[in-house]
Amino acid sequence: MTETTLVADPGESKPLREYTEKAYLDYSMYVILDRALPHIGDGLKPVQRRIIYAMSELGLKAPAKHKKSARTVGDVIGKFHPHGDSAAYEAMVLMAQNFSYRYPLIDGQGNWGSPDDPKSFAAMRYTESRLTPFAELLLAELGQGTVTWQPNFDGSLEEPRILPAQIPHVLLNGTTGIAVGMATDIPPHNLREVIGACVYLLEHPKATVEELFELVPAPDFPTDAEIISPPEDLLNTYKTGRGSLRMRATWVAEDGDIVVTALPHQASPAKILEQIAAQMLAKKLPMVADLRDESDHENPTRLVIVPRSNRVDAEVLMSHLFASTDLERTYRINLNMIGLDGRPAVKSLGVILGEWLEYRKDTVRLRLEHRLERVLNRLHILEGLLIAFLNIDEVIAIIRHEDNPKAELMKRFELSSEQAEAILNLRLRQLAKLEEEKIRAEQNELSAERDELEKILASKRRLKTLVRNELESIADEFGDDRRSPVVQREEAQAYSEADLLTSEPVTVVLSEKGWIRAAKGHEVDAGALSYKAGDGFLAAARGRSNQQAILLDSTGRTYALPAHTLPSARGQGEPVTGRLSAPSGATFCGVLLGEDKQRVLMATDAGYGFIATLADLYTKNRSGKSAISVSKGARVLTPTAVPTGANSLVVAISNEGRMLAFPVAELPELARGKGNKIINIPSSRVQAREEWMAFVTVVADEQKLVVYSGKRHHVLKHGDLEHYRGERGRRGNKLPRGFQKVDDIAVTD
């Protein structure tokens, strides 16, 4: 198979693969280097750099009057950035929004958007703009030999390749961008902190990121919301250049209400209120009565959350809202930028500051060299002018009588072309004696400046000191306090479903055929409820509506159903098998309801059992979980709640009328298993269904045991059970004649 070729012109052909690969790589590099990523030198993307330069060329610096933004955008796209006007204007808007930029570069008049909707800005024909004083830190040294110039897109003008930034702007305002195969997410930082780190790095070139982290503890956003990321995470981010950051809104309690005073960076108040309102409509926030947005000019952020009562725990409520709304947000950090080598790379904090300081020192050196050259040129001119003043009559005569006075002056006084030209350009008024004194004064001043410049350029230490002093001066003029405090907070926890439920007393009723329902209150006679034909009462459990009903089946598996989801006892309920996946042929043996720490006696009629807690029996699985092992031929008995009394007794009764009582403490506490022997019944007799443990329960100190046999019943107080006391696993003693065939037992107070 031959490779497809693409004919560019009659004399040239290329393999399609090679052509497309080169075209895509060219496009990728263009997007990376000329559109999406900032340069470490001035911290700007090309469109931002061109906007600021175009505004300075239009004279729109800080002291100037505002001009229509359309004028600026027109210049930007017409002279430097041949792209859409909307893209240029959006980039311009971002630099003017004080809620987007930590240190705005553009001072705007009109509607430039709001925190609620950053893209709600007016059209460029309506807004006006000029540069802020802070933008001067990027432009001040532009005409001082510090910039490499390049032709614009059509070669008709020149534009700066990188602006001579006097501050590490790449960290101060940050930026986001998506290129081809890479992205950048640089958060803003505090000017004082970053300059403090730069000064420290100048004095300690081998400083570690840990040392710099002491000076720059976290980003600093244009919001008063808290940064709650752990310090170790932030340090790791500054070490690797990649990580994440969490911000949380700040709030205060005010007359029983919760007032949110600051939101995370770029979080929308309207969206947050919408998120909370949606939860209220879904009845997931029953403890919130009302929401209000009271934000105004004096209070830019003031969201009021009104709890339903003063019993609502504000801390817990806000923890839920932090976990479930934009009151807490996570931001990605990716310190990806174009370095001094012209290559994109993810850099650590130390590398960024170190590389920028190299850029700054080079810029200052170029500025000083440019100034020194200007000073030397001026001194050279002054030297010629001084010669002319000392020989003024002869100079005038040469100018009056010679056909080529410039050449004659150069020959007579050994002047350079520039000196002779300067003499010829003198005005008559400058021939006064006073001018000679001015020249000598300027000469002395410039000579001193020349000596100082040469000293600085000859000494790395002096150059470093100059850079440090300039940085400290900028920090004094433009620096401000940190806005986003770094605070240690606990992890936000959303309400669980149980937390959101009202806690009301309920009685869960289970029928013999496995139908389940829940009745309000504990004063319910479960046996008197109506049941389907052929069905009847099996078990009931009392508890709260926000608890889980634990069911036990004949295979020893347990299941859980939220009590508040069960059908009302006004009807006959619904089959449990419709909600759960029990093994084929399994029947349900009992139901439990209570706190997770409630202890329960689990047993089989083989005479084995153990103590478990409801938490041990809980499962989210529809198929349940194995709780108690069932011996061959044995059956699961209805589980029994264990009272808290210290002297409670386990009472077991066999089908032959033997009863054994022993302390609960003799049974082990297990999460699952077979358990220990409660009453001694040979396994062969259990398998043959000749003998088994018919009943088992727990009797507390103050309770009585009622034994039913036919129409008769026998009441035993706690003391009466002493006759049947024995070690766990014994055979027990016979009940009185006439009560050895036990039909049922009950425990009463």
Side-chain angles (χ1 to χ4, degrees):
M1 184 177 178
T2 58
E3 190 172 29
T4 305
T5 59
L6 183 77
V7 179
D9 58 57
E12 179 186 358
S13 67
K14 274 187 180 179
L16 181 60
R17 182 182 195 173
E18 182 182 325
Y19 176 83
T20 53
E21 182 179 347
K22 183 179 184 303
Y24 186 74
L25 283 174
D26 289 346
Y27 164 72
S28 302
M29 292 309 296
Y30 167 75
V31 173
I32 291 169
L33 299 177
D34 289 329
R35 187 178 291 185
L37 299 188
H39 193 281
I40 195 170
D42 58 11
L44 298 171
K45 299 178 187 180
V47 64
Q48 296 169 328
R49 186 179 302 119
R50 288 162 178 166
I51 289 169
I52 291 171
Y53 176 66
M55 291 183 75
S56 71
E57 288 296 286
L58 282 169
L60 295 177
K61 295 191 177 180
K65 277 186 174 184
H66 293 82
K67 279 188 181 177
K68 287 288 184 184
S69 302
R71 173 75 184 277
T72 298
V73 172
D75 264 36
V76 170
I77 65 176
K79 294 180 178 178
F80 307 112
H81 197 71
H83 296 274
D85 57 351
S86 60
Y89 184 49
E90 283 192 26
M92 186 176 172
V93 167
L94 191 68
M95 292 189 287
Q97 291 176 338
N98 58 9
F99 50 86
S100 295
Y101 262 39
R102 181 65 176 82
Y103 301 97
L105 300 175
I106 293 175
D107 173 18
Q109 281 188 344
N111 176 13
W112 290 83
S114 66
D116 211 29
D117 185 5
K119 292 190 178 289
S120 62
F121 50 85
M124 58 185 170
R125 62 183 177 274
Y126 298 121
T127 61
E128 297 180 340
S129 57
R130 66 183 179 188
L131 293 171
T132 62
F134 187 85
E136 283 296 304
L137 297 176
L138 302 174
L139 297 164
E141 299 173 352
L142 197 58
Q144 300 178 28
T146 57
V147 173
T148 302
W149 297 86
Q150 63 184 12
N152 69 340
F153 64 90
D154 63 0
S156 61
L157 296 168
E158 285 195 328
E159 61 176 322
R161 192 180 296 274
I162 305 167
L163 296 181
Q166 295 176 268
I167 31 84
H169 183 256
V170 71
L171 287 177
L172 297 180
N173 275 322
T175 190
T176 60
I178 299 175
V180 179
M182 62 179 63
T184 183
D185 290 280
I186 305 172
H189 288 74
N190 183 273
L191 177 67
R192 281 182 187 162
E193 293 176 355
V194 171
I195 287 183
C198 288
V199 170
Y200 184 85
L201 195 58
L202 279 171
E203 300 299 328
H204 307 84
K206 295 183 179 180
T208 63
V209 175
E210 285 85 355
E211 291 174 289
L212 298 174
F213 182 66
E214 294 293 322
L215 299 166
V216 184
D220 186 25
F221 293 87
T223 172
D224 297 328
E226 299 171 341
I227 293 173
I228 61 168
S229 296
E232 54 271 19
D233 290 357
L234 293 169
L235 175 59
N236 186 60
T237 297
Y238 283 133
K239 279 182 173 180
T240 62
R242 284 193 176 96
S244 62
L245 174 142
R246 281 188 299 134
M247 289 196 82
R248 181 177 289 182
T250 56
W251 62 279
V252 293
E254 192 176 288
D255 298 328
D257 296 341
I258 296 169
V259 180
V260 178
T261 57
L263 298 177
H265 183 51
Q266 293 181 334
S268 166
K271 184 180 178 183
I272 289 171
L273 290 177
E274 186 180 329
Q275 290 171 335
I276 299 173
Q279 293 190 42
M280 292 171 68
L281 287 173
K283 297 185 179 178
K284 293 183 178 180
L285 278 179
M287 64 290 295
V288 175
D290 192 18
L291 286 175
R292 293 195 304 273
D293 185 355
E294 297 182 353
S295 305
D296 54 28
H297 290 292
E298 292 183 6
N299 302 287
T301 301
R302 183 179 170 84
L303 307 183
V304 181
I305 302 168
V306 183
R308 197 164 291 281
S309 74
N310 56 12
R311 293 190 301 275
V312 174
D313 189 328
E315 293 281 353
V316 176
L317 172 58
M318 289 306 295
S319 180
H320 166 78
L321 293 176
F322 291 142
S324 59
T325 71
D326 283 351
L327 286 173
E328 180 176 316
R329 290 184 68 178
T330 299
Y331 301 86
R332 184 175 57 195
I333 296 177
N334 183 16
L335 305 179
N336 189 8
M337 60 196 72
I338 300 168
L340 296 182
D341 57 0
R343 296 173 178 270
V346 177
K347 303 176 186 291
S348 69
L349 178 64
V351 171
I352 292 171
L353 295 180
E355 210 168 312
W356 182 82
L357 283 172
E358 287 302 313
Y359 170 77
R360 181 61 190 154
K361 284 187 280 188
D362 287 344
T363 302
V364 171
R365 186 181 296 108
L366 288 172
R367 187 189 81 203
L368 296 179
E369 288 173 351
H370 177 76
R371 178 58 186 166
L372 179 60
E373 183 182 353
R374 297 281 297 273
V375 167
L376 291 175
N377 287 340
R378 182 60 180 165
L379 283 172
H380 181 63
I381 297 298
L382 291 175
E383 184 181 343
L385 292 177
L386 196 59
I387 290 173
F389 275 100
L390 293 175
N391 301 276
I392 189 65
D393 294 336
E394 190 175 353
V395 167
I396 291 172
I398 291 172
I399 293 172
R400 285 185 67 185
H401 301 293
E402 292 293 335
D403 293 334
N404 189 357
K406 181 177 179 180
E408 188 62 27
L409 287 172
M410 292 171 64
K411 179 181 177 182
R412 172 67 183 85
F413 300 109
E414 297 182 353
L415 300 175
S416 68
S417 175
E418 291 80 7
Q419 289 174 321
E421 191 68 37
I423 292 170
L424 291 172
N425 288 332
L426 279 174
R427 296 178 181 176
L428 290 175
R429 70 172 62 181
Q430 291 177 299
L431 299 180
K433 185 167 179 59
L434 188 60
E435 287 298 321
E436 180 184 343
E437 295 175 7
K438 286 183 180 179
I439 290 172
R440 291 188 182 278
E442 185 181 353
Q443 202 173 32
N444 292 336
E445 185 180 335
L446 291 177
S447 296
E449 185 179 353
R450 176 199 59 201
D451 295 343
E452 183 64 26
L453 290 171
E454 288 174 345
K455 282 181 185 178
I456 295 172
L457 288 169
S459 168
K460 289 184 178 180
R461 183 64 192 172
R462 287 176 184 269
L463 182 66
K464 191 185 294 184
T465 301
L466 176 62
V467 171
R468 185 195 67 197
N469 291 342
E470 288 180 353
L471 285 173
E472 289 175 342
S473 175
I474 290 169
D476 291 340
E477 183 178 356
F478 292 97
D480 56 2
D481 295 333
R482 167 174 281 276
R483 287 197 60 183
S484 304
V486 183
V487 183
Q488 296 298 301
R489 299 289 186 194
E490 293 183 2
E491 191 79 23
Q493 295 289 333
Y495 286 127
S496 65
E497 191 175 357
D499 293 331
L500 298 172
L501 297 173
T502 55
S503 178
E504 299 175 344
V506 293
T507 301
V508 176
V509 181
L510 182 67
S511 76
E512 293 172 350
K513 299 290 185 183
W515 286 61
I516 194 167
R517 50 189 151 168
K520 290 184 179 180
H522 291 166
E523 310 301 323
V524 178
D525 184 357
L529 296 174
S530 66
Y531 294 87
K532 287 187 175 293
D535 200 0
F537 170 72
L538 174 67
R542 294 179 175 88
R544 312 295 295 183
S545 59
N546 60 349
Q547 294 172 340
Q548 297 284 334
I550 305 296
L551 300 165
L552 177 67
D553 73 6
S554 57
T555 67
R557 298 181 73 81
T558 58
Y559 310 81
L561 289 174
H564 74 279
T565 66
L566 298 177
S568 169
R570 291 192 182 96
Q572 293 175 333
E574 65 180 54
V576 173
T577 51
R579 295 196 181 198
L580 304 173
S581 302
S584 178
T587 57
F588 288 90
C589 308
V591 62
L592 296 162
L593 202 61
E595 300 290 338
D596 288 348
K597 60 186 178 181
Q598 170 67 54
R599 299 165 75 225
V600 179
L601 172 60
M602 304 287 289
T604 63
D605 65 2
Y608 288 85
F610 59 91
I611 303 297
T613 65
L614 288 184
D616 295 330
L617 306 179
Y618 173 74
T619 176
K620 292 182 179 179
N621 196 336
R622 276 176 55 92
S623 301
K625 64 184 285 190
S626 178
I628 184 167
S629 302
V630 185
S631 305
K632 186 177 180 181
R635 297 171 184 172
V636 177
L637 296 178
T638 301
T640 305
V642 177
T644 56
N647 299 318
S648 298
L649 296 175
V650 175
V651 178
I653 302 174
S654 71
N655 65 318
E656 293 190 345
R658 289 183 173 275
M659 187 164 77
L660 175 67
F662 60 87
V664 172
E666 293 186 18
L667 275 181
E669 292 198 12
L670 303 173
R672 55 177 292 181
K674 181 179 179 181
N676 286 7
K677 187 175 284 188
I678 295 175
I679 189 169
N680 189 7
I681 300 174
S683 59
S684 58
R685 289 180 63 81
V686 174
Q687 291 178 26
R689 299 310 294 171
E690 295 173 352
E691 186 180 357
W692 60 87
M693 183 170 68
F695 303 97
V696 64
T697 190
V698 181
V699 184
D701 262 346
E702 66 283 357
Q703 292 180 323
K704 302 169 188 175
L705 177 68
V706 183
V707 179
Y708 295 92
S709 182
K711 294 183 179 181
R712 295 184 297 172
H713 66 276
H714 180 41
V715 180
L716 295 96
K717 295 181 179 178
H718 201 274
D720 299 332
L721 295 175
E722 288 296 324
H723 174 68
Y724 302 96
R725 286 281 290 261
E727 294 180 5
R728 178 186 56 78
R730 297 290 186 178
R731 290 283 289 166
N733 294 329
K734 282 278 189 179
L735 283 161
R737 189 180 298 276
F739 287 96
Q740 291 177 3
K741 186 180 179 182
V742 180
D743 296 321
D744 199 5
I745 64 172
V747 176
T748 61
D749 293 331

